[in-house]
Amino acid sequence: MQSKTLGGLPVKKGLRLSDILVTVLISLVFGVVYHFWASVYSLFKPLFPEAGELMYGMWFAAATLAFLLIRKPGVAVIAELAAAHIEVLFGSGWGLNLLLYGLIQGLACELVFAAFRYRKTGAWVVALAGAAAAFGSMFMDFYLSYTDDYALWMFIYKYSMRVISGVLIAGLAMLALAKALERTGVTSLLNPASSKDYAALDDARNG
Amino acid sequence: MNVWGQDRITWLHKANPVVKLGILLLLFTMTVLTHNLDFIMYQAAVFTVCLVLLCGLKLWKIGLFSLPFLIAFVSSASTMMLFGKGETIWWEWGLFKVSEESFYRGLHLGFKGIAFAAEGLLFVTTTSSVALFYGLMQKLKLAPKFAYSFMASIRLLPMVWEEFLIRRQALQVRGMRPVKGIRGLAERANMFAVPLLAQSIRRAHRVAAAMEAKQFDGDQGKGRTFFYESRYSRYDLVIMLLLAAAAGAAYLFSIWAPGFGIGDVRFN
């Protein structure tokens, strides 16, 4: 975290409380959605084997949406962890693993955004982040559910659906949602215009 | 805030949340690294017993939240049983193939799911968020801006729910009919997602500005004091011994009375 002084008042460039609070609140809303999404997932499941995987991408959505709104390092990880935390709090059958899944999925998104130096937020980048989160969850599955012991066709079939779902739901749908939110004007609250604002405040106070 | 509304206070409630989190993470690691079917079966049994005794909820509530146990069992076990690798084939029909190895591996995953669920619920049902975050700030030096953000957000969540209900009523009054099918689902999601999220952002931002003004971010000054003090007590020791004994019992049972007697369930 770098900090520079503006009129004697240190202005932090990293995450401020307001960034964290907005990220966490959005993520908690997503956490509630995540919790109920389990029933959407199980509704889809009986359609054909592993049909639920097509819905899986929703569980990565907090990371991408939070990042699209607050484009700072660390936001994606915090968002996924916060959303997972609410799911655990509600007493999910998956218990504490969800925190691990949240961490690895958030980190996977974070890595993609970091690779573009947190500057690019186009459709390709967000879609890539969604796919990366799917890969992250896949590695967790190896250790927790031995999915590498599935028959090969099943393995490819299952995870390609998850990646597609990550791209569509966590990637493109969240990009559309973020654009819709931008049209409401609330994102102007979140833009990093803070240093200027602080300077203006400072000037007024000093007369 | 504890969403579970406990009916009686147990030792687990009195232990420090940080200690509890530490122990449960250790137990969780043990469960992750268990590849032995007998051991995981006894873990599932032992931690379920711990949960019933220590969660401090009435039995009917425990019955209600053991539903996730069932879901976790079925959904972890079924795919592995039907589509897992294995050599001793028991039953085959089209793409479905149940082999001895995949069946036991599926069973293992089912028990693992129950063990995870019990461990998670042991923590969640006995710990309030406020106690946890105060503990994390004081004992593990978590930055106050993270802890207070989480606590404030949890308090704001019911307002989001209330707004959701109001929005639904408003749409009903205006005569919005739910369109059926996937298109309708997407349309409805859009109708709720944008206003609810926009309002959440506005509110969070306003609350954050107030909290920053009151120095909740903890950026200035090191000597912060806390309204609640997080302390260690003898219950921490009691809980440590109790849960260690539970894990030990599961291990000993798996040696004394191995039900399945097969070692590692992984393929090869």
Side-chain angles (χ1 to χ4, degrees), chain B residues 8-27:
Chain B
R8 60 195 163 81
I9 302 290
T10 67
W11 288 339
L12 213 52
H13 289 94
K14 291 179 186 167
N16 191 292
V18 174
V19 175
K20 231 185 300 179
L21 188 65
I23 300 171
L24 281 166
L25 283 178
L26 279 179
L27 292 180

Side-chain angles (χ1 to χ4, degrees), chain A residues 5-44:
Chain A
T5 32
L6 261 168
L9 195 75
V11 176
K12 282 222 162 131
K13 264 195 157 178
L15 290 172
R16 294 180 309 131
L17 185 121
S18 76
D19 298 323
I20 301 171
L21 190 61
V22 172
T23 306
V24 173
L25 185 60
I26 296 169
S27 309
L28 295 199
V29 174
F30 268 92
V32 178
V33 174
Y34 282 12
H35 183 67
F36 291 108
W37 201 250
S39 49
V40 177
Y41 181 76
S42 38
L43 261 181
F44 261 71

Side-chain angles (χ1 to χ4, degrees), chain B residues 8-51:
Chain B
R8 60 195 163 81
I9 302 290
T10 67
W11 288 339
L12 213 52
H13 289 94
K14 291 179 186 167
N16 191 292
V18 174
V19 175
K20 231 185 300 179
L21 188 65
I23 300 171
L24 281 166
L25 283 178
L26 279 179
L27 292 180
F28 171 80
T29 317
M30 177 186 77
T31 309
V32 170
L33 296 176
T34 304
H35 304 298
N36 180 300
L37 181 54
D38 293 313
F39 188 21
I40 204 82
M41 182 180 73
Y42 284 116
Q43 277 182 31
V46 161
F47 290 126
T48 310
V49 171
C50 284
L51 179 66

Side-chain angles (χ1 to χ4, degrees), chain A residues 15 17-18 20-21 24-25 28 50 78 88-89 91 93-94 97 100 144-146 148-151 186 189, chain B residues 4 28 34-35 68 79-80 83 85 105 108-109 112 116-117 121 124 145 149 153 200 202 204-205 208 212 267:
Chain A
L15 290 172
L17 185 121
S18 76
I20 301 171
L21 190 61
V24 173
L25 185 60
L28 295 199
E50 297 299 305
I78 296 170
V88 174
L89 195 70
W94 304 106
N97 324 8
L100 275 181
L144 291 182
S145 326
Y146 312 136
D148 43 344
D149 283 351
Y150 279 151
V186 282
L189 291 173
Chain B
W4 294 92
F28 171 80
T34 304
H35 304 298
T79 309
M80 182 53 84
F83 303 108
K85 280 182 201 161
R105 209 182 302 123
H108 178 92
L109 288 179
K112 209 178 197 179
F116 283 142
L121 285 171
V124 164
K145 58 183 175 182
S149 291
S153 308
S200 303
R202 252 181 235 125
H205 194 263
E212 269 171 359
F267 192 67

Side-chain angles (χ1 to χ4, degrees), chain B:
Chain B
M1 187 179 71
N2 192 332
V3 288
W4 294 92
Q6 70 262 7
D7 301 307
R8 60 195 163 81
I9 302 290
T10 67
W11 288 339
L12 213 52
H13 289 94
K14 291 179 186 167
N16 191 292
V18 174
V19 175
K20 231 185 300 179
L21 188 65
I23 300 171
L24 281 166
L25 283 178
L26 279 179
L27 292 180
F28 171 80
T29 317
M30 177 186 77
T31 309
V32 170
L33 296 176
T34 304
H35 304 298
N36 180 300
L37 181 54
D38 293 313
F39 188 21
I40 204 82
M41 182 180 73
Y42 284 116
Q43 277 182 31
V46 161
F47 290 126
T48 310
V49 171
C50 284
L51 179 66
V52 171
L53 294 178
L54 292 173
C55 72
L57 296 177
K58 286 188 178 130
L59 263 178
W60 67 267
K61 278 190 203 163
I62 299 176
L64 202 65
F65 72 59
S66 52
L67 205 65
F69 282 49
L70 205 67
I71 296 168
F73 188 91
V74 172
S75 70
S76 328
S78 56
T79 309
M80 182 53 84
M81 283 188 184
L82 289 172
F83 303 108
K85 280 182 201 161
E87 269 149 15
T88 323
I89 310 284
W90 280 356
W91 178 76
E92 200 169 0
W93 184 71
L95 290 172
F96 301 101
K97 190 174 80 175
V98 179
S99 64
E100 190 184 345
E101 291 93 332
S102 70
F103 178 80
Y104 284 129
R105 209 182 302 123
L107 213 56
H108 178 92
L109 288 179
F111 285 128
K112 209 178 197 179
I114 291 180
F116 283 142
E119 285 160 5
L121 285 171
L122 263 178
F123 184 76
V124 164
T125 51
T126 59
T127 314
S128 74
S129 300
V130 172
L132 172 64
F133 284 111
Y134 270 85
L136 289 177
M137 272 194 288
Q138 290 171 46
K139 302 296 185 200
L140 296 186
K141 305 288 169 232
L142 177 72
K145 58 183 175 182
F146 290 103
Y148 286 117
S149 291
F150 270 83
M151 284 192 276
S153 308
I154 292 171
R155 297 286 180 188
L156 292 175
L157 209 51
M159 291 188 201
V160 181
W161 177 247
E162 202 176 308
E163 268 163 16
F164 169 76
L165 296 180
I166 292 171
R167 175 85 183 147
R168 197 169 62 181
Q169 284 169 351
L171 288 173
Q172 270 169 358
V173 166
R174 291 182 211 162
M176 297 294 292
R177 292 230 179 83
V179 192
K180 286 209 174 106
I182 297 213
R183 229 190 122 73
L185 204 71
E187 209 171 281
R188 221 181 317 169
N190 209 24
M191 254 183 232
F192 284 101
V194 175
L196 288 181
L197 283 174
Q199 190 58 24
S200 303
I201 292 167
R202 252 181 235 125
R203 181 171 287 134
H205 194 263
R206 228 179 297 144
V207 169
M211 284 171 71
E212 269 171 359
K214 297 240 174 201
Q215 303 292 317
F216 271 102
D217 51 4
D219 278 349
Q220 264 98 37
K222 291 253 185 279
R224 155 165 225 112
T225 55
F226 297 95
F227 187 78
Y228 300 105
E229 268 200 53
S230 190
R231 289 197 190 89
Y232 295 126
S233 67
R234 64 201 149 95
Y235 289 103
D236 301 329
L237 209 61
V238 171
I239 280 308
M240 254 189 248
L241 293 175
L242 199 67
L243 290 177
Y251 185 68
L252 289 178
F253 275 130
S254 73
I255 291 174
W256 289 335
F260 298 98
I262 41 178
D264 199 317
V265 291
R266 285 171 299 180
F267 192 67
N268 294 332

